[in-house]
Amino acid sequence: MPRGQAGLLSYGALNHANDSQLKNNPNPGPDALKVIPRAAHNVSRNEISDGALKVLYRLHKAGYKSFLVGGGVRDAILDLHPKDFDIATDATPDEVRSLFSNCRLIGRRFRLAHVRFGREVIEVATFRAAANHADDDIAHDTEGRILRDNVYGTIDEDVWRRDFTCNALYYNIADFSIWDYTNGFEDVKNKRLVLIGDPVQRLREDPVRMLRAVRFAGKLGFTIDDSVVEAMRGHTNLLSNVPAARLFDEFLKLFQAGYAEPTFELLREHKLFGELFPATEFELSRDERYMGFTRAALRNSDERVAEGKSVTPMFLLGVFLWLPIKKLAAITRVEEKMSESQALSLAAYEIVSQQQRRISIPKRFTVPMREMLALQPRFDNRRGKRGMNLLDHKRFRAAYDFMLLRSEVGEVPGEIAKFWTDVQSQSPEERAVSFQLHANPGKQGSARRRRRRKPSREA
Ligand code: ATP
Ligand code: MG
């Protein structure tokens, strides 16, 4: 064990001793169980989707143990109307499949059953043994990260491999009680994120748990327990061992759920943002205006989610990478004598390649992002056919929204932003005047304006 870690370990253990003795022991077994009867909690079947109820009941009727677990139970206790349901059972994946025709088995690391009802997918997982279970089928890397743990177990083993106590509550369809082994019910009520077991060991096993802590804190307004904060402090760099594809999935969950702004602040506070976006963090820490730009974009994105509008990850990726790309483009341009757009496109290619080492971003997002950024200089051109053609570009809408953000922080003059807002709602005749197509510069900007459309962003 590297130096310094022993201290962290004992700090975590000390903190936990005050909370609950259970958490010190990675696997206290069935004795730790507290059953909370239906009368003592607020989780109602009305909060569980029809699909999830069907799966719960069918497993139960076939004689298997059948529990709702994870975010569904946690969010129902918080009256947050859960939308995502995970089920835990002692039926093996093959047994689950034989009960449901609409079922598919997925996953390499974990074998899971997905039962589909229209657009809803219910995830059914067989109880698994704890990560520290002495078994050959649990593989770790040199940092302690779990690579594979496909050992089936009982519910009182399953509970210890879950991440936070608030995510380890099991709602039993047999009598509607909640099974709580880790004091999770109290922690949900007190809005606390507490890792099950030793925090350092649990973060080493799976460093993504640091991002999950921040995600739940951002979304639910929970406080991350001091023991977890302390354990994260020395271990943020473990994220560099996590496969880049998994980090992209996590990036989407962090920034598309409608809590991007508070989540971003927490990621920075806990020194995790720089692990995900090193070039961005480098610039953010030196540039107040860029910070304002980033915050405005995140706020805007959250507002769109709240209004039920679509958000595309390419927009936020463009926001995060904008300053590194702009700076590199400025250097490239001087050296190679190319147009501003070409230089931006080339720089975007380079910065995205560097970023891919951390988070693998699919091409379907990087290509439109480069296009959106490379269009930025074209907003300066407000004359002639070429100027007007920008309105018909397939990335105009996103590029325009991006330009508005730049103008919010003074990177684009207000009159340019106003011009492009106005021309969108003008008639062809008015536009011709605005773009000076008829050599009539005196009239520029004075055309009568029709109803303005509210700017919106599309994928
Ligand atoms: P939400 O669905 O709101 O994102 P969730 O808690 O349901 O939150 P999922 O990713 O759906 O999160 O996972 C379901 C459950 O599986 C979690 O509640 C937790 O018990 C367990 N789990 C998920 N990811 C991990 C992990 N990395 N380490 C340990 N347990 C995990
Ligand atoms: Mg879930």
Side-chain angles (χ1 to χ4, degrees):
M1 180 183 297
R3 268 199 303 150
Q5 243 129 53
L8 281 174
L9 272 171
S10 54
Y11 181 91
L14 274 175
N15 253 4
H16 271 293
N18 299 333
D19 279 344
S20 151
Q21 292 225 310
L22 296 180
K23 290 167 202 156
N24 276 333
N25 186 340
N27 193 352
D31 294 346
L33 174 63
K34 221 171 10 186
V35 176
I36 303 161
R38 174 65 186 90
H41 69 73
N42 64 322
V43 177
S44 143
R45 271 166 294 162
N46 292 333
E47 290 298 315
I48 305 171
S49 73
D50 292 345
L53 283 174
K54 266 188 208 154
V55 177
L56 284 165
Y57 277 124
R58 196 172 302 173
L59 285 166
H60 175 58
K61 290 203 177 110
Y64 297 109
K65 297 212 165 58
S66 176
F67 293 87
L68 184 68
V69 67
V73 184
R74 179 196 68 216
D75 291 356
I77 294 171
L78 295 166
D79 292 322
L80 286 179
H81 312 303
K83 282 172 208 71
D84 175 54
F85 297 95
D86 302 293
I87 288 171
T89 179
D90 59 352
T92 64
D94 286 322
E95 287 168 338
V96 175
R97 188 167 49 181
S98 69
L99 283 178
F100 299 94
S101 56
N102 47 337
C103 174
R104 224 160 51 93
L105 299 190
I106 59 138
R108 271 183 305 154
R109 187 178 154 195
F110 306 133
R111 256 173 104 60
L112 297 167
H114 274 181
V115 185
R116 185 177 282 278
F117 297 93
R119 292 179 63 187
E120 190 184 17
V121 176
I122 308 294
E123 193 164 288
V124 185
T126 306
F127 297 140
R128 284 195 293 265
N132 60 349
H133 200 270
D135 195 299
D136 287 340
D137 226 11
I138 299 174
H140 295 80
D141 72 2
T142 49
E143 303 286 347
R145 190 164 63 90
I146 296 180
L147 301 175
R148 184 165 41 76
D149 64 336
N150 223 355
V151 189
Y152 299 131
T154 57
I155 184 169
D156 52 75
E157 289 175 312
D158 187 83
V159 63
W160 309 106
R161 45 155 288 279
R162 297 195 173 265
D163 48 4
F164 299 95
T165 60
C166 63
N167 287 344
L169 293 165
Y170 297 71
Y171 171 88
N172 187 2
I173 200 67
D175 62 2
F176 317 125
S177 63
I178 291 175
W179 288 24
D180 181 3
Y181 289 83
T182 64
N183 205 32
F185 193 70
E186 278 298 302
D187 287 338
V188 173
K189 293 278 179 203
N190 295 325
K191 292 183 171 270
R192 274 160 33 98
L193 277 163
V194 181
L195 271 167
I196 297 170
D198 176 73
V200 171
Q201 187 194 332
R202 300 310 308 282
L203 296 185
R204 282 183 167 277
E205 282 171 9
D206 183 3
V208 168
R209 289 171 186 154
M210 293 187 265
L211 300 178
R212 288 175 59 85
V214 162
R215 176 156 69 85
F216 295 131
K219 170 181 153 182
L220 305 168
F222 277 32
T223 307
I224 306 175
D225 192 66
D226 284 349
S227 61
V228 181
V229 172
E230 192 62 27
M232 292 204 296
R233 200 163 288 157
H235 296 89
T236 52
N237 64 343
L238 290 176
L239 278 171
S240 58
N241 300 326
V242 176
R246 185 163 175 223
L247 287 184
F248 181 71
D249 293 344
E250 215 46 47
F251 161 78
L252 293 181
K253 291 185 194 166
L254 286 163
F255 289 106
Q256 303 254 94
Y259 305 90
E261 202 192 358
T263 304
F264 168 76
E265 303 298 348
L266 285 165
L267 283 173
R268 292 204 72 235
E269 181 186 332
H270 296 290
K271 307 275 182 285
L272 292 162
F273 188 77
E275 295 295 330
L276 300 179
F277 291 94
T280 309
E281 178 58 37
F282 181 83
E283 300 296 348
L284 277 174
S285 56
R286 284 162 184 76
D287 190 324
E288 262 307 304
R289 190 164 78 164
Y290 182 47
M291 184 62 105
F293 167 74
T294 307
R295 287 198 175 115
L298 294 163
R299 201 171 312 132
N300 194 275
S301 176
D302 288 344
E303 280 163 13
R304 288 184 59 88
V305 175
E307 291 164 17
K309 295 182 188 164
S310 64
V311 287
T312 159
M314 77 98 173
F315 194 86
L316 276 188
L317 286 166
V319 167
F320 286 156
L321 300 179
W322 175 236
L323 199 55
I325 288 172
K326 211 169 68 154
K327 286 194 161 176
L328 182 60
I331 302 167
T332 319
R333 211 175 153 214
V334 172
E335 284 175 358
E336 309 280 341
K337 292 206 175 77
M338 54 175 72
S339 79
E340 221 180 322
S341 280
Q342 281 173 323
L344 280 170
S345 189
L346 201 69
Y349 191 84
E350 175 57 32
I351 298 290
V352 166
S353 309
Q354 288 174 21
Q355 179 59 45
Q356 301 276 27
R357 287 180 215 141
R358 291 295 168 116
I359 300 180
S360 76
I361 311 161
K363 264 215 172 78
R364 67 178 186 281
F365 300 123
T366 59
V367 171
M369 186 203 86
R370 280 176 68 202
E371 288 170 352
M372 173 179 81
L373 300 185
L375 284 183
Q376 293 308 306
R378 285 188 54 188
F379 286 100
D380 294 340
N381 180 7
R382 288 178 281 165
R383 288 185 69 166
K385 206 137 180 59
R386 186 167 155 75
M388 196 164 78
N389 282 348
L390 180 57
L391 288 165
D392 298 325
H393 195 287
K394 67 172 190 281
R395 285 308 153 215
F396 172 78
R397 175 57 64 185
Y400 164 74
D401 283 338
F402 196 86
M403 181 273 293
L404 282 188
L405 269 179
R406 293 172 57 220
S407 88
E408 258 183 54
V409 293
E411 205 184 280
V412 172
E415 57 161 332
I416 291 189
K418 183 171 177 337
F419 174 88
W420 288 99
T421 303
D422 290 347
V423 289
Q424 288 178 65
S425 55
Q426 287 173 354
S427 68
E429 296 76 32
E430 290 169 328
R431 264 189 202 167
V433 174
S434 296
F435 286 98
Q436 303 180 28
L437 288 182
H438 306 307
N440 195 356
K443 276 205 165 173
Q444 192 198 338
S446 67
R448 186 177 55 82
R449 272 160 206 130
R450 294 190 316 170
R451 182 178 60 87
R452 262 181 219 167
R453 258 200 300 155
K454 221 175 152 221
S456 75
R457 192 160 70 236
E458 280 157 10

